[in-house]
Amino acid sequence: MNIELLKIINKEIEEGKSGVLCTVIRAVGSTPRDIGASMWVRADGSTIGTVGGGPSEKEVIEKANEMIKKGEIEPKIYDAVLREKESDGKSICGGEISVLLEPLGNEPKIVIFGAGHVGKALARVASITGFKTIVWDDREDLANQQNISWTETIICSLDEAFKKINFDKNTYVVVLTRQHSLDEDVVRLLEGKSFAYLGVIGSLRKTLKMKENLLKRGVSKSYVDKIYQPIGIPIGAETPEEIAISILAEIIAVYRKANITVLRNTYSIKEKSLSEI
């Protein structure tokens, strides 16, 4: 594999970019490239490197772009037969290749707004589980490497945080700041962003009031309805650590496409007006 290509990929991933690394892992017969030939397909559709060119490479790029569009994170193997005779625009090499397509830089990550007791506990269990985790807070005494040493912390204003954090289809957002109004601001700023999950901590009364306020501020109902409330799988959690585990359990359930309703033991809360609470 090309070392220079790997350096480029590593640099781009560190910059928050993503793509699919395509590597020839099997080559039989007459093929344009040998095992180890690689190509980087970026999220914007551009490429660097090659796995042989021609129609087969075009098909590999199409498969990679499809994986990026769907937000897939599991690697796949693409098999191509290079025809001996030119027909239907296919290659005339006459061999066979298998290409490993590995999505990189779009691993699932949890973004936590709020570095208080629950935020800190959630960052710990999330990082242990293997999620890339980012914690934001504007309080320097909380969002720092001394207090939360096992994951990335961001200390800045809320507006500045949204310039620093990259949201995508594999981002799981948890909002648990120190103030209800700040929680509301976070949710408002998230509208239009790409994410897989948005949960906001708080009682039913609080979340209904927040929804009411957001609608008055022009936030769409379809977006507000995406919020997971109440947050977490209902396990009777009381301590910050227990609450963190219930939240992470729900995130894992969404990530693994489990049946949330069953996990909640058919527990559901129907929409009610605040006057009914």
Side-chain angles (χ1 to χ4, degrees):
M1 184 176 291
N2 190 311
I3 299 299
E4 292 304 314
L5 177 59
L6 291 179
K7 289 180 180 178
I8 292 172
I9 294 173
N10 185 63
K11 181 176 182 296
E12 292 189 3
I13 291 176
E14 288 180 347
E15 293 172 349
K17 300 176 182 178
S18 61
V20 176
L21 174 60
C22 309
T23 308
V24 176
I25 59 173
R26 184 179 73 94
V28 178
S30 177
T31 60
R33 297 299 302 274
D34 294 326
I35 293 174
S38 54
M39 174 177 64
W40 176 236
V41 181
R42 299 185 177 98
D44 63 5
S46 63
T47 66
I48 182 170
T50 179
V51 292
S56 60
E57 179 168 292
K58 181 176 180 292
E59 291 172 3
V60 169
I61 293 173
E62 289 174 351
K63 295 290 184 182
N65 285 329
E66 184 179 338
M67 294 176 73
I68 293 170
K69 184 177 180 180
K70 292 182 178 180
E72 297 181 20
I73 61 173
E74 298 296 332
K76 289 183 175 180
I77 294 177
Y78 172 70
D79 297 313
V81 176
L82 312 181
R83 303 178 186 245
E84 295 183 5
K85 295 182 179 180
E86 189 173 0
S87 62
D88 301 325
K90 299 294 183 179
S91 171
I92 60 173
C93 293
E96 297 179 5
I97 62 170
S98 295
V99 182
L100 176 63
L101 285 71
E102 299 177 275
L104 300 174
N106 61 344
E107 294 81 4
K109 65 176 177 288
I110 297 177
V111 177
I112 303 168
F113 286 92
H117 296 301
V118 176
K120 180 178 180 179
L122 178 58
R124 181 187 288 274
V125 295
S127 61
I128 291 174
T129 311
F131 284 93
K132 177 181 178 180
T133 311
I134 301 172
V135 181
W136 169 86
D137 208 299
D138 56 3
R139 296 170 290 181
E140 294 185 8
D141 59 323
L142 295 180
N144 60 71
Q145 288 297 300
Q146 287 69 44
N147 184 47
I148 304 176
S149 60
W150 46 85
T151 191
E152 180 182 352
T153 56
I154 297 177
I155 312 164
C156 59
S157 67
L158 184 58
D159 288 336
E160 189 65 25
F162 274 81
K163 297 177 183 178
K164 295 182 177 182
I165 300 172
N166 178 45
F167 297 91
D168 56 37
K169 294 180 180 179
N170 289 313
T171 302
Y172 297 76
V173 184
V174 180
V175 183
L176 30 77
T177 72
R178 63 185 180 278
Q179 295 176 329
H180 296 343
S181 60
L182 187 54
D183 285 349
E184 188 177 307
D185 287 339
V186 174
V187 175
R188 180 180 59 82
L189 289 171
L190 281 166
E191 186 176 23
K193 300 290 186 183
S194 180
F195 54 81
Y197 169 95
L198 171 58
V200 183
I201 200 167
S203 65
L204 178 60
R205 177 181 291 274
K206 173 200 164 182
T207 52
L208 286 175
K209 181 62 177 176
M210 183 185 71
K211 178 182 288 189
E212 185 180 89
N213 291 341
L214 288 168
L215 293 174
K216 289 179 180 178
R217 296 172 70 177
V219 175
S220 69
K221 185 177 184 300
S222 60
Y223 165 67
V224 171
D225 287 342
K226 293 179 181 179
I227 300 172
Y228 280 78
Q229 56 181 46
I231 193 171
I233 301 297
I235 59 174
E238 295 184 1
T239 68
E241 291 74 19
E242 290 172 349
I243 295 171
I245 289 172
S246 74
I247 295 171
L248 183 61
E250 182 167 79
I251 290 174
I252 292 173
V254 174
Y255 171 56
R256 295 296 185 186
K257 296 179 173 56
N259 190 317
I260 296 292
T261 302
V262 171
L263 291 174
R264 286 179 179 275
N265 194 27
T266 66
Y267 174 78
S268 64
I269 297 179
K270 296 181 178 179
E271 294 291 334
K272 297 180 180 180
S273 67
L274 290 174
S275 61
E276 294 178 300
I277 306 289

